[in-house]
């Protein structure tokens, strides 16, 4: 099989040690940056063909992330890769201890379609910075972006170092039979389990970046204007096809009416409407049909309309939703926002605790006790107080899920660490060691050891 041959060539190339040199890593990161910049228009066209994503959104939510990642690693690679000296315990004197960031070897990155460039290339960039060879399998669902990445990379990089393998389920299934040194997967929890099982056959470590139902909570102590603006943006950006989008809204009953009015106002102001440059369409018929089945017309507060031919669904707010409604059973991953009201903040937090741990959670309030309870009580990948989505843009913060929403982290130094093994080395002097640990043992030696340890 062709891909098996490419993986073997990557193993052989890794063994030459070339990818470990900082100069090599920087040269190829710079090359990738230049290729992205010189092919910017092709990248915009491909994603627009796939799901109507605008140039503005593509730059702000995809290309700027990738270019920032490259800059971050170019700037920090030397210090990230430098062996870290740590202290040495008494039993190991005279000695010194260091941790080496050891590249893992050959990495498989499997991407998702919803932010096809960012979710495929950000992990690749971190893996390159950490000194690895990589195979990227982008999502076939965003076919044009997959082809664009394959063109840019396969025409310009040696396949024994970096290679894009195009394909869908069959190709991914075949890839997963092979032995990699790490698999980095972004996608659904369902497929995450398939990847984890296949990886276990080879004891291959994984990072799984999965999804879930991420709540947004608005209490009566929130700045309602700001909350509405930030929730509308975070939810309807990319037509809700964002892994960290607020999935559903819990709003305190006393401000519910006013808050929903403000949501409606911002949806209108932002011109999130069919065919507008701001608004993205649904990726395919399958997802479109799944989403429109979730719209309970009797609960529609605003929106609710759709265009089957063009695959657009209006930003839709559903009010008086019940925890048992179908829309509350699975991640929505589309422009539908169910709203559930609450009277008691703690009971609302408990309801979230009943569900699987989400990838993100958002709280809007100016009340410090509510902030404290949110942070301490709930378990979720990451999130914001008084904003949505933006935590993932800070590369000083780790990004990843917990429980059903994922395993492992990346971004910034966490990305570098995800693709390195912290190799521990203790170096001993060849003189100056007392004999007390060596046989023959004696009571006297034991009493010294007790004192020393
Ligand atoms: P998906 O799980 O359907 O597909 C992801 C990848 O897995 C694709 O490359 C696809 O080709 C491959 N794949 C699909 N079925 C497979 C199978 N049976 N065997 C082997 N490989 C298979 O996910 P998606 O539709 O591309 O993305 C949507 C999901 O991803 C949502 O749940 C979303 O929350 C999640 N997501 C998470 C993050 C994150 O960073 N945590 C980011 C984006 C999306």
């Amino acid at each position: 099989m062709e891909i098996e041959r490419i993986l073997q060539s990557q193993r052989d190339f890794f063994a030459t040690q070339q990818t470990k040199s900082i100069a090599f890593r920087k040269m190829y990161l710079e090359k990738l940056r230049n290729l992205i910049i010189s092919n910017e228009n092709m990248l915009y066209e491909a994603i627009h063909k796939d799901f109507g994503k605008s140039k503005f959104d593509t730059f702000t939510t995809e290309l700027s992330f990738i270019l920032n990642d490259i800059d971050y690693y170019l700037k920090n690679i030397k210090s990230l890769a430098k062996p870290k000296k740590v202290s040495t315990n008494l039993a190991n004197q005279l000695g010194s201890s260091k941790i080496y960031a050891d590249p893992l070897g050959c990495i498989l990155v499997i991407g998702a379609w919803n932010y096809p460039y960012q979710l495929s290339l950000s992990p690749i960039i971190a893996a390159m910075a950490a000194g690895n060879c990589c195979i990227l399998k982008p999502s076939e669902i965003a076919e044009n972006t997959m082809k664009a990445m394959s063109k840019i990379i396969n025409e310009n990089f040696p396949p024994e170092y970096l290679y894009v393998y195009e394909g869908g389920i069959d190709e991914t299934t075949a890839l997963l039979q092979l032995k990699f040194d790490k698999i980095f997967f972004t996608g659904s929890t369902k497929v995450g389990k398939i990847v984890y099982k296949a990886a276990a056959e080879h004891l291959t470590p994984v990072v799984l970046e999965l999804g879930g139902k991420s709540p947004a909570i608005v209490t009566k102590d929130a700045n309602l204007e700001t909350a509405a603006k930030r929730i509308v943006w975070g939810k309807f950006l990319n037509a809700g096809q964002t892994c960290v989008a607020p999935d559903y809204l819990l709003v305190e009953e006393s401000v519910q009416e006013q808050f929903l009015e403000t949501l409606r106002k911002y949806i209108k102001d932002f011109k999130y409407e069919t065919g507008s440059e701001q608004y993205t369409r649904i990726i395919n018929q399958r997802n479109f049909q799944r989403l429109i089945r979730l719209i309970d017309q009797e609960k529609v507060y605003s929106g609710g309309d759709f265009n089957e031919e063009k695959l657009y669904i209006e930003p839709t707010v559903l009010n008086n939703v019940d925890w048992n409604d179908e829309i509350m059973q699975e991640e929505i991953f589309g422009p539908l926002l169910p709203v559930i009201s609450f009277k008691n903040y703690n009971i609302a937090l408990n309801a979230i605790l009943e569900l699987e741990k989400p990838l993100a959670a958002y709280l809007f309030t100016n009340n410090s006790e509510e902030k404290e309870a949110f942070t301490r009580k709930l378990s979720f990948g990451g999130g914001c107080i008084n904003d949505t989505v933006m935590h993932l843009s800070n590369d000083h913060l780790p990004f990843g899920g917990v429980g059903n929403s994922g395993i492992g982290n990346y971004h910034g130094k966490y990305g570098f660490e995800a693709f390195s093994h912290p190799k521990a080395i203790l170096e001993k002097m060849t003189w100056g060691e007392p004999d007390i640990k060596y046989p023959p043992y004696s009571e006297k030696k034991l009493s010294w050891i007790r004192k020393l340890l």
Side-chain angles (χ1 to χ4, degrees):
M1 185 172 47
E2 173 71 0
I3 194 63
E4 213 169 338
R5 198 184 54 72
I6 287 176
L7 177 59
Q8 186 52 48
S9 75
Q10 293 205 347
R11 293 212 167 287
D12 297 342
F13 186 63
F14 184 72
T16 67
Q17 308 292 317
Q18 289 180 60
T19 65
K20 294 186 180 174
S21 117
I22 302 292
F24 177 96
R25 303 185 206 184
K26 282 186 159 181
M27 176 181 81
Y28 277 112
L29 284 173
E30 274 166 9
K31 186 174 175 129
L32 184 58
R33 180 182 57 193
N34 295 340
L35 283 164
I36 289 166
I37 294 170
S38 59
N39 285 287
E40 217 177 312
N41 282 334
M42 180 192 39
L43 295 171
Y44 291 139
E45 277 165 26
I47 202 164
H48 198 267
K49 263 192 216 154
D50 277 335
F51 55 117
K53 189 160 170 171
S54 69
K55 187 171 168 179
F56 190 95
D57 280 352
T58 306
F59 181 77
T60 53
T61 65
E62 307 237 25
L63 300 193
S64 71
F65 272 82
I66 296 165
L67 296 172
N68 276 332
D69 280 354
I70 295 178
D71 284 349
Y72 172 87
Y73 289 119
L74 286 174
K75 210 152 89 199
N76 294 291
I77 198 166
K78 218 168 144 196
S79 67
L80 288 166
K82 199 173 156 197
K84 307 277 177 306
K85 202 166 185 313
V86 293
S87 55
T88 301
N89 59 338
L90 191 60
N92 284 308
Q93 299 302 342
L94 297 166
S96 68
S97 305
K98 281 186 189 160
I99 304 169
Y100 288 78
D102 209 20
L104 292 171
C106 300
I107 308 295
L108 171 63
V109 171
I110 303 175
W113 57 264
N114 58 328
Y115 289 81
Y117 299 134
Q118 193 213 129
L119 298 175
S120 303
L121 295 178
S122 278
I124 287 288
I125 289 161
M128 287 165 74
N132 299 282
C133 299
C134 312
I135 292 178
L136 164 65
K137 208 300 291 177
S139 173
E140 74 286 6
I141 290 179
E143 197 190 348
N144 293 292
T145 60
M146 174 175 77
K147 292 206 177 304
M149 285 186 279
S150 146
K151 185 172 164 56
I152 290 176
I153 289 175
N154 291 353
E155 286 181 4
N156 294 286
F157 283 82
E160 63 272 24
Y161 172 51
L162 177 60
Y163 184 73
V164 177
Y165 184 53
E166 295 182 28
I169 296 179
D170 290 348
E171 289 76 9
T172 317
T173 307
L175 265 182
L176 288 171
Q177 305 294 312
L178 307 177
K179 183 174 164 68
F180 287 88
D181 295 294
K182 187 141 199 173
I183 300 176
F184 187 107
F185 170 81
T186 303
S188 60
T189 301
K190 186 173 136 241
V191 180
K193 289 180 186 174
I194 297 174
V195 171
Y196 204 9
K197 269 190 197 149
E201 277 301 312
H202 298 291
L203 280 184
T204 298
V206 292
V207 172
L208 301 177
E209 295 284 344
L210 312 176
K213 282 188 95 57
S214 301
I217 312 167
V218 177
T219 79
K220 64 177 185 337
D221 293 328
N223 177 326
L224 296 184
E225 277 290 321
T226 307
K229 193 172 185 177
R230 292 179 182 169
I231 288 172
V232 166
W233 178 79
K235 176 71 192 187
F236 299 112
L237 171 78
N238 219 31
Q241 302 166 112
T242 303
C243 57
V244 287
D247 184 276
Y248 62 99
L249 181 63
L250 297 178
V251 57
E252 193 155 351
E253 205 180 83
S254 57
V255 292
Q256 182 181 11
E257 218 180 293
Q258 188 190 348
F259 189 66
L260 291 185
E261 261 316 305
T262 323
L263 280 182
R264 194 196 328 246
K265 173 174 91 95
Y266 278 109
I267 292 171
K268 193 158 175 274
D269 286 358
F270 289 178
K271 298 203 184 317
Y272 280 147
E273 54 206 36
T274 300
S276 97
E277 186 54 20
Q278 281 68 234
Y279 199 50
T280 309
R281 66 171 180 262
I282 306 304
I283 184 74
N284 55 22
Q285 267 295 340
R286 201 171 136 249
N287 272 298
F288 180 86
Q289 295 300 337
R290 178 183 64 78
L291 286 163
I292 58 169
R293 271 199 300 273
L294 293 176
I295 305 175
D296 177 346
Q297 289 295 345
E298 290 191 352
K299 296 194 175 179
V300 168
Y301 172 83
S302 70
D305 220 353
F306 45 81
N307 181 324
E308 186 163 353
E309 193 197 334
K310 294 188 171 155
L311 294 181
Y312 278 96
I313 299 178
E314 264 191 327
T316 298
V317 178
L318 298 138
N319 200 10
N320 302 320
V321 171
D322 188 271
W323 289 100
N324 296 317
D325 287 355
E326 204 189 335
I327 199 164
M328 290 306 295
Q329 306 316 309
E330 292 215 344
E331 179 184 3
I332 298 167
F333 217 57
L336 316 177
L337 181 63
V339 180
I340 299 178
S341 65
F342 66 86
K343 284 196 182 108
N344 179 305
Y345 179 67
N346 273 313
I347 294 176
L349 292 190
N350 288 341
I352 296 171
L353 281 171
E354 294 280 313
L355 307 178
E356 296 291 357
K357 295 175 182 180
L359 182 59
Y362 307 108
L363 171 68
F364 288 84
T365 186
N366 286 314
N367 176 316
S368 48
E369 279 171 26
E370 287 175 351
K371 290 180 194 174
E372 185 70 10
F374 168 82
T375 311
R376 301 249 174 234
K377 200 167 175 178
L378 298 184
S379 180
F380 52 90
C384 309
I385 294 174
N386 292 325
D387 206 349
T388 62
V389 177
M390 292 305 288
H391 60 296
L392 68 75
S393 69
N394 179 358
D395 57 25
H396 299 287
L397 288 173
F399 179 72
V402 58
N404 266 37
S405 56
I407 296 174
N409 289 290
Y410 71 133
H411 288 188
K413 77 169 179 139
Y414 304 96
F416 190 91
E417 286 168 3
F419 295 108
S420 312
H421 165 63
K423 189 159 71 186
I425 304 245
L426 168 70
E427 183 175 350
K428 295 290 276 280
M429 295 293 183
T430 49
W431 51 274
E433 184 188 42
D435 267 344
I436 54 169
K437 82 172 183 201
Y438 296 106
Y441 302 137
S442 69
E443 279 304 315
K444 197 170 162 202
K445 279 186 177 175
L446 185 59
S447 102
W448 268 108
I449 280 194
R450 277 181 185 284
K451 282 184 190 120
L452 283 172
L453 300 183

